[in-house]
Amino acid sequence: MTIDHSKDRTELDVAIVGAGVSGLYALHRLRALGYRVRVYEQGGDAGGTWYWNRYPGCRCDVESLEYSYSFDETLEQEWHWPERYGTQPEILRYVNHVVDRYNLRKDIVFNCPITAATFDEETDQWQLSTGGGERIASRFCIMATGNLSTPRVPDYEGLDSFQGKWYHTGQWPHDGVDFTGLRVGVIGTGSSGVQSIPIIAGQASRLHVFQRTPQFSLPARNGPMDSDKETAHKAAYRSHREAALDTPFGMSGHPPPTQSALDISDEERQAAYEAKWAEGGSISFLYAYTDLLINKAANDTAADFVRDKIRQTVNDPKVAEKLIPHDHPIGTKRLILDSGYFETYNQDHVTLVDVREAPIERFTPEGLRTADGNEYELDAVVFATGFDAMTGALRNIALDNGAGLTIQDKWSNGPRCFMGLAMAGFPNLFMITGPQSPSVKAQMILGGEQHSDWIAEFLEYMRLNDVTRFEVEQKAEDDWVLHNNDIADSTLYPLANSWYVGANVPGKPRVFMPYVGGFNRYKKACDELAEKGYPGLRLSRYDEMSDVAD
Ligand code: N01
């Protein structure tokens, strides 16, 4: 991109890309500190993932009393969540309430994708371009672009010829879709597929689910908010939030396990799993024992328990066996929470099609054909086929450092970041919940708040020290990437072909992307970095180009 030094451009201290839950909080926090901040959002309104994912059954898998902002105690007390887990419309209503309550809208530009960003070495500013041709110069840029924000539709031959309608769960029509009386196909059985399939089955005259890989799913046990629980939680909200910060996944209410799954009798273990199954929730289940995610034999006890539950739920034993995962340890792909998913296959009009055995060969005007020659006539197809996770959004921007390095080059062998917050070679650029931070492995709103607070304090430190530029030292990044990989390799996570390693996108380098050392451990590392004066980050001023701190 050519650098624009003209005056007819917006001048900012901080440009934030993305008005999801993280970008919104970053705006609120930085504006209060007096920075000139603006958010650029490609969608028509705020909410990020909750703006786009409007598919039937979409709901958060973190309990609503936890999945909410913690920065304002009055907001916490006043907001009432009607259900144990928030539905997409309810969460979007909450997000919009936050936007209005803190008057954020005036500093957000909607329908405005950032298409290119170049760092200007001369002025220590990012030069951003929008889809509409606007130019922005900003000292700092924060990419709050989300981890699951780039939907992926597999490249199927013949899709253009299909005469029915098709949808992706991550780009759902705002006025909804009525499948009543239609022959519907759903491709994909991750969280989005598993949540939407029971609802779509309730409308469709015929439903075919095209499954490539079965996944583990547990009952969510959703229901109306228990008012006693809400009152008790709100009475102690501060201590819940404090406790959440000190957990590996950023959620309170789950006492740390103390025992190995292999150190107790089969009967005791079975009873514990039954209790967790009845309680609902994935953290509670995976946190039953100390070693479920690090020891395959321990993991097998939990996986076998869930496999048996699937067998008990699905009437047809052949269908049940097809729905049982065998290719990955439980929890190493995002553990799904469902409401009546496996029961759906007991309905006569619902058919499971194994597309691992016979892959989808092509779409036809009438539907699709699989490799065994079977033809499926469909009026509508739902792609629940996931996202180019964690790196897709940034790689879609023409992002370069003004000195010949693009993000595509930088990440050609997979993402490399310093604590998921910044990258060597890209001065003055932050990411919120980027690769190699806890991101998707912790409560995302909490992670967004923690990152935004850390960035705010760092900006204040730079302002105080009259610094205009920070750069990540290569060694600091290399050390962090090594640390991230070492931790991942000490767990069972890399055994799964998951989107955590980019396995769902053909050709994507296989790198374990989230930090799985625990949110608490990660936060401690961030806090220590600040306390020690930001070692690993090189600080300078553009008119001097001399170091002001090490
Ligand atoms: O996407 P996914 P998702 N042919 O990647 C299949 C979060 N989330 O949108 O496993 C046939 O998990 C693919 O098969 P395979 C949550 O973190 C949260 O469901 O690659 N099938 C898989 O079955 C979640 O993990 C919530 O073999 C193909 C599915 O499509 C993440 O978002 C709700 C295919 C994709 O599953 C992503 O979930 C929703 C092909 N060519 C999402 N390509 C909650 O909070 C892909 N698939 C509850």
Side-chain angles (χ1 to χ4, degrees):
M1 185 175 110
T2 335
I3 305 274
D4 172 17
H5 286 113
S6 69
K7 284 287 163 218
D8 60 343
R9 56 183 184 162
T10 306
E11 292 266 353
L12 298 172
D13 298 316
V14 186
I16 298 173
V17 186
V21 291
S22 296
L24 293 174
Y25 175 64
L27 168 62
H28 176 63
R29 180 81 160 87
L30 296 177
R31 204 175 57 180
L33 291 170
Y35 293 100
R36 293 171 302 166
V37 195
R38 194 171 284 175
V39 176
Y40 295 88
E41 165 57 52
Q42 65 177 335
D45 209 341
T49 205
W50 302 109
Y51 172 85
W52 295 104
N53 287 268
R54 297 170 188 242
Y55 61 84
C58 181
R59 180 188 292 284
C60 190
D61 57 3
V62 175
E63 293 193 40
S64 40
L65 287 165
E66 298 281 331
Y67 190 83
S68 52
Y69 288 111
S70 69
F71 68 87
D72 182 340
E73 291 183 36
T74 315
L75 169 68
E76 252 171 15
Q77 292 297 328
E78 287 178 3
W79 188 263
H80 167 65
W81 292 101
E83 293 181 59
R84 179 178 177 186
Y85 300 92
T87 58
Q88 175 273 331
E90 188 59 25
I91 298 171
L92 194 58
R93 198 168 75 79
Y94 171 75
V95 169
N96 278 299
H97 171 79
V98 169
V99 168
D100 294 335
R101 187 176 181 126
Y102 303 99
N103 198 15
L104 301 180
R105 215 174 286 281
K106 74 183 178 68
D107 289 310
I108 308 175
V109 190
F110 293 109
N111 298 307
C112 190
I114 294 294
T115 51
T118 296
F119 188 68
D120 183 350
E121 290 274 343
E122 280 179 35
T123 58
D124 285 353
Q125 282 180 316
W126 279 94
Q127 305 280 343
L128 308 173
S129 303
T130 70
E134 193 192 345
R135 296 293 174 112
I136 303 132
S138 181
R139 173 77 66 225
F140 299 100
C141 179
I142 299 179
M143 293 295 182
T145 42
N147 289 289
L148 295 156
S149 48
T150 310
R152 244 200 95 249
V153 176
D155 194 11
Y156 287 120
E157 210 180 308
L159 185 55
D160 286 352
S161 72
F162 176 52
Q163 284 174 357
K165 294 211 164 143
W166 63 266
Y167 312 90
H168 189 285
T169 50
Q171 279 179 326
W172 204 257
H174 287 201
D175 40 7
V177 181
D178 182 6
F179 293 108
T180 305
L182 300 183
R183 299 162 303 171
V184 183
V186 176
I187 304 175
T189 52
S191 302
S192 306
V194 165
Q195 282 189 326
S196 57
I197 284 163
I199 315 279
I200 295 173
Q203 298 176 353
S205 63
R206 191 92 181 77
L207 174 63
H208 284 97
V209 177
F210 297 92
Q211 172 192 271
R212 187 164 68 181
T213 313
Q215 256 183 259
F216 290 102
S217 182
L218 308 178
R221 309 271 181 230
N222 185 47
M225 176 61 72
D226 176 329
S227 62
D228 290 343
K229 188 177 169 191
E230 182 183 13
T231 306
H233 201 95
K234 285 187 170 177
Y237 231 137
R238 280 306 87 203
S239 55
H240 280 290
R241 297 295 194 191
E242 288 301 318
L245 292 173
D246 199 22
T247 63
F249 34 79
M251 283 170 242
S252 72
H254 304 285
T258 51
Q259 258 183 324
S260 157
L262 305 176
D263 280 351
I264 51 167
S265 68
D266 291 352
E267 293 71 28
E268 260 183 288
R269 199 172 47 233
Q270 193 71 7
Y273 287 147
E274 285 290 358
K276 303 281 180 193
W277 183 264
E279 181 188 335
S282 56
I283 298 299
S284 159
F285 192 84
L286 288 175
Y287 218 36
Y289 297 105
T290 52
D291 47 0
L292 293 185
L293 290 169
I294 52 174
N295 180 324
K296 179 68 168 56
N299 185 286
D300 285 344
T301 65
D304 285 344
F305 174 85
V306 176
R307 290 182 184 119
D308 281 344
K309 287 291 183 191
I310 299 172
R311 287 187 188 101
Q312 287 158 23
T313 308
V314 179
N315 295 342
D316 182 333
K318 281 192 191 141
V319 176
E321 285 314 311
K322 280 191 190 302
L323 286 165
I324 291 174
H326 288 287
D327 75 327
H328 63 280
I330 187 168
T332 56
K333 281 187 163 194
R334 175 77 170 205
L335 188 51
I336 302 172
L337 291 190
D338 74 88
S339 299
Y341 174 65
F342 293 111
E343 291 83 343
T344 304
Y345 294 93
N346 295 333
Q347 300 177 40
D348 290 341
H349 71 300
V350 178
T351 305
L352 182 69
V353 182
D354 183 346
V355 294
R356 171 80 58 197
E357 227 168 66
I360 295 170
E361 198 174 67
R362 61 163 299 128
F363 273 77
T364 63
E366 295 76 31
L368 62 82
R369 185 188 308 145
T370 48
D372 52 9
N374 283 331
E375 304 259 358
Y376 298 87
E377 291 190 358
L378 303 167
D379 303 307
V381 170
V382 173
F383 289 99
T385 43
F387 302 86
D388 184 353
M390 304 199 73
T391 56
L394 237 60
R395 287 176 59 101
N396 277 350
I397 298 173
L399 180 66
D400 74 85
N401 73 350
L405 181 67
T406 66
I407 189 72
Q408 287 75 17
D409 294 335
K410 166 91 186 169
W411 286 359
S412 59
N413 294 318
R416 298 184 69 80
C417 308
F418 177 59
M419 304 182 79
L421 276 161
M423 284 177 283
F426 288 82
N428 290 8
L429 185 83
F430 294 103
M431 288 165 290
I432 296 192
T433 66
Q436 287 130 11
S437 77
S439 53
V440 294
K441 297 304 298 172
Q443 202 266 84
M444 290 297 292
I445 298 187
L446 190 81
E449 285 181 316
Q450 185 260 337
H451 268 191
S452 303
D453 288 339
W454 188 92
I455 291 169
E457 281 163 30
F458 183 40
L459 291 183
E460 286 296 88
Y461 179 87
M462 284 192 275
R463 181 150 71 173
L464 198 68
N465 287 287
D466 214 10
V467 164
T468 58
R469 173 170 173 156
F470 81 87
E471 277 175 88
V472 175
E473 286 171 4
Q474 191 59 57
K475 180 168 183 330
E477 180 177 282
D478 292 346
D479 289 350
W480 184 260
V481 172
L482 198 66
H483 171 62
N484 187 76
N485 294 347
D486 284 349
I487 289 184
D489 288 343
S490 69
T491 70
L492 302 174
Y493 282 107
L495 299 182
N497 287 323
S498 64
W499 57 258
Y500 297 148
V501 294
N504 63 323
V505 179
K508 190 164 173 171
R510 192 181 175 104
V511 168
F512 194 83
M513 294 187 282
Y515 177 77
V516 286
F519 180 83
N520 44 355
R521 185 170 171 188
Y522 172 82
K523 182 179 181 304
K524 199 160 166 252
C526 290
D527 292 347
E528 276 175 13
L529 193 69
E531 280 156 23
K532 290 180 181 163
Y534 306 96
L537 297 172
R538 191 176 162 80
L539 309 182
S540 59
R541 204 186 145 72
Y542 74 94
D543 52 4
E544 295 168 1
M545 291 310 289
S546 61
D547 291 353
V548 291
D550 282 326

